[in-house]
Amino acid sequence: MTGTGRTGGGLLVAGTTSDAGKSVVTAGICRWLVRQGVKVAPFKGQNMSLNSFVTREGAEIGRAQAMQAQAARVEPSALMNPVLLKPGSDRSSQVVLMGRPVGELSARGYHGGRQEALLSTVLECLEELRGTYDAVICEGAGSPAEINLRRTDIVNMGIARAARLPVLVVGDIDRGGVFASFFGTTALLSAADQELIAGYLVNKFRGDVTLLEPGLEMLHGLTGRHTYGVLPFAHGLGIDEEDGLRVSLRGAVRESAVAPPVGEDVLRVAVCAVPLMSNFTDVDALAAEPGVVVRFVDRAEELVDADLVIVPGTRGTVKALAWLRERGLADALLRRAAEGRPVLGICGGFQALGERIDDEIESRAGTVDGLGLLPVRVRFAKDKTLARPVGKALGERVEGYEIHHGVAEVLGGETFLDGCRVGSVWGTHWHGSLESDGFRRAFLREVAAAAGRRFVPAPDTSFGALREEQLDRLGDLIEEHADTDALLRLIESGAPPELPFLPPGAP
């Protein structure tokens, strides 16, 4: 396959559970393959995520797929994530098809017929990618053994069967029960589905791998399937998550070690963990800065010692406003602004800081008062703004991306990107702006001055370089701890023939 121009190779990375490591393993395989000279692309037929991204053609896709595309060193496109579900409540989601919203559906309505109807679109996108790339590494969702959803499945065994993809099942051994999970996942599938379960990959193993080998041999004896690798537990790894906030509200954003501060002081950042929080990875670039400590908070008292408070994006601006008020966070934000202490609102957070919101689209709540910290009035439009703007702020070039129904009318203040600034309160719809290194440093200098901190941004932190380093580490994990020769055969030739059936099979 390496550099030969052969097309059509593929693999589905499934998991025994959500958060087993499918996204990370998919990215790692993509980075490993592209380093071998293989032209590779990621794919996820259906994604449920509030953490999304805008491609250069203006399509909205899951941010995990955008990062997997970066791992593969290709430009992300809507083909890589044709169906994106953005939850608006426990019972309904906005359906984004080929990068564009097409309506809201309840879970029952989606699984009751609409999902199955989308299978042809998903398969057409997959086939187009397979016709263009040497290999397509597909990511599943949840578990392939969700037997209540198998009939309408378009992301796990549904596409594996239709496209004859071999399936690698990832299990998180750090949770315990990984052998039972591998066996049970396989044994709950139909005979036709089991034919494609090629084998397993153990993720997040701690300790001496030789202690695991007897279990792997027994698993092979029980299932007739190969274990393609044992990946060690590694701190600070991961790509932009999709299923939810994978950090404690009172923990660090990332587990990786951060260099000591350049100046005399650290800078403390508190991020309000609003309901339906979207694109929480906006703060990752801050967390990568030496001397910046980032926490997600849900109590007013946690804002007291913060040098900067961020109100992040949300799929429910009106709901987030009510939450801020109920928890006393709104009053704390008002006090901060009155004292000249820094506050930044991003997207839905920007809208919440304004004077008024007219919403007949997202919450259908009508006119709602905002916090009144910025001279901005927001009207929710039916059409969603999806854009990749480039601009200048604080004397520095800034790139970002926009994903919002709210249209902001800015009535005063200093211009700040597409929003405004009043004193120490800033607001913008632009996600990702803090990834622009020069702008981030300039913004942090402003924050430090307003907060009275002797904090100095590091002069050489490159968020793009740090992300590349992380993706290379994922590729290293696959190269060093997986059976790469067997993986290549699997991707090129499909599942091994005559894999044994494990009873009882699908009910």
Side-chain angles (χ1 to χ4, degrees):
M1 178 183 290
T2 306
T4 64
R6 292 187 62 178
T7 61
L11 175 70
L12 175 67
V13 178
T16 55
T17 61
S18 294
D19 203 29
K22 298 183 292 291
S23 296
V24 167
V25 169
T26 299
I29 293 174
C30 285
R31 177 50 59 101
W32 161 66
L33 282 173
V34 77
R35 294 194 310 206
Q36 309 308 307
V38 177
K39 187 180 178 185
V40 59
F43 179 80
K44 186 162 186 173
Q46 171 200 294
N47 198 348
M48 178 172 281
S49 178
L50 287 173
N51 203 16
S52 57
F53 182 76
V54 179
T55 67
R56 293 207 180 277
E57 67 266 27
E60 185 179 9
I61 66 172
R63 197 169 163 91
Q65 279 61 65
M67 292 303 98
Q68 289 162 355
Q70 184 174 345
R73 297 182 180 142
V74 296
E75 190 68 33
S77 80
L79 291 172
M80 297 171 185
N81 180 206
V83 181
L84 173 64
L85 305 180
K86 303 195 72 176
S89 70
D90 290 340
R91 295 180 176 270
S92 67
S93 294
Q94 182 181 67
V95 180
V96 179
L97 179 63
M98 296 303 294
R100 301 289 174 181
V102 294
E104 297 272 340
L105 274 180
S106 68
R108 181 175 293 275
Y110 184 67
H111 290 287
R114 181 61 189 268
Q115 184 181 31
E116 197 172 10
L118 294 172
L119 179 59
S120 61
T121 299
V122 168
L123 290 174
E124 286 169 8
C125 291
L126 176 57
E127 286 311 301
E128 185 169 343
L129 290 174
R130 293 182 79 181
T132 306
Y133 293 88
D134 295 338
V136 178
I137 308 303
C138 307
E139 181 188 342
S143 162
E146 309 286 3
I147 55 179
N148 56 316
L149 303 176
R150 175 62 186 89
R151 182 182 61 83
T152 57
D153 170 53
I154 63 171
V155 66
N156 290 308
M157 301 312 300
I159 66 161
R161 281 267 293 277
R164 303 307 299 170
L165 291 173
V167 180
L168 181 69
V169 181
V170 178
D172 179 356
I173 196 170
D174 200 47
R175 295 182 174 194
V178 73
F179 294 115
S181 297
F182 284 145
F183 186 92
T185 296
T186 309
L188 276 175
L189 300 176
S190 69
D193 284 352
Q194 287 192 30
E195 289 177 1
L196 296 171
I197 303 295
Y200 313 110
L201 185 74
V202 177
N203 192 28
K204 299 183 185 178
F205 179 71
R206 304 173 190 252
D208 185 350
V209 73
T210 61
L211 298 176
L212 192 64
E213 288 172 355
L216 299 178
E217 292 172 6
M218 291 175 66
L219 182 67
H220 183 268
L222 289 165
T223 67
R225 287 161 172 85
H226 180 59
T227 295
Y228 284 77
V230 177
L231 306 186
F233 189 98
H235 286 281
L237 285 183
I239 61 172
D240 294 354
E241 293 93 344
E242 60 191 33
D243 296 323
L245 186 60
R246 302 301 185 200
V247 292
S248 163
L249 290 180
R250 294 169 183 82
V253 176
R254 288 286 181 261
E255 296 173 313
S256 52
V258 177
V262 175
E264 296 180 46
D265 288 344
V266 299
L267 210 60
R268 295 174 175 84
V269 179
V271 185
C272 297
V274 297
L276 299 172
M277 183 170 20
S278 63
N279 292 79
F280 49 84
T281 46
D282 281 337
V283 301
D284 277 5
L286 293 180
E289 281 286 347
V292 177
V293 180
V294 180
R295 297 174 299 168
F296 288 86
V297 305
D298 60 355
R299 298 182 298 185
E301 56 266 34
E302 294 178 294
L303 303 190
V304 174
D305 67 345
D307 301 306
L308 169 66
V309 174
I310 296 178
V311 187
T314 171
R315 172 105 211 283
T317 301
V318 170
K319 183 181 288 188
L321 264 170
W323 182 87
L324 290 168
R325 288 178 168 128
E326 288 165 4
R327 290 179 168 262
L329 289 159
D331 288 339
L333 288 167
L334 293 172
R335 287 193 297 271
R336 287 187 66 86
E339 295 166 0
R341 302 175 67 197
V343 176
L344 170 65
I346 301 175
C347 200
F350 166 45
Q351 297 165 7
L353 298 182
E355 297 174 353
R356 189 181 72 199
I357 296 169
D358 293 321
D359 182 11
E360 299 292 348
I361 302 296
E362 191 174 75
S363 68
R364 297 185 173 88
T367 301
V368 177
D369 288 334
L371 297 183
L373 296 180
L374 292 174
V376 174
R377 294 177 182 174
V378 176
R379 175 184 56 83
F380 273 68
K382 182 178 179 181
D383 293 334
K384 181 185 284 191
T385 297
L386 296 169
R388 288 277 294 272
V390 177
K392 198 168 186 179
L394 305 180
E396 299 287 346
R397 186 177 187 274
V398 189
E399 295 184 31
Y401 58 100
E402 295 183 68
I403 306 169
H404 53 93
H405 283 280
V407 178
E409 181 185 7
V410 179
L411 302 172
E414 300 175 42
T415 299
F416 178 70
L417 301 176
D418 70 322
C420 64
R421 171 188 182 177
V422 174
S424 60
V425 180
W426 295 265
T428 176
H429 274 128
W430 289 21
H431 294 291
S433 62
L434 294 168
E435 295 179 16
S436 297
D437 296 328
F439 167 71
R440 182 180 64 256
R441 287 191 275 270
F443 177 71
L444 289 175
R445 284 192 289 269
E446 293 263 343
V447 168
R453 294 288 185 188
R454 290 172 295 182
F455 168 85
V456 178
D460 55 356
T461 301
S462 167
F463 185 69
L466 289 172
R467 177 175 281 159
E468 276 296 305
E469 179 184 311
Q470 187 180 52
L471 293 172
D472 274 332
R473 288 179 65 196
L474 294 178
D476 292 343
L477 277 181
I478 297 299
E479 186 170 343
E480 295 168 10
H481 300 282
D483 185 343
T484 52
D485 289 340
L487 265 181
L488 276 175
R489 288 194 298 271
L490 196 61
I491 293 166
E492 187 167 29
S493 304
E498 300 179 358
L499 291 168
F501 171 72
L502 304 187

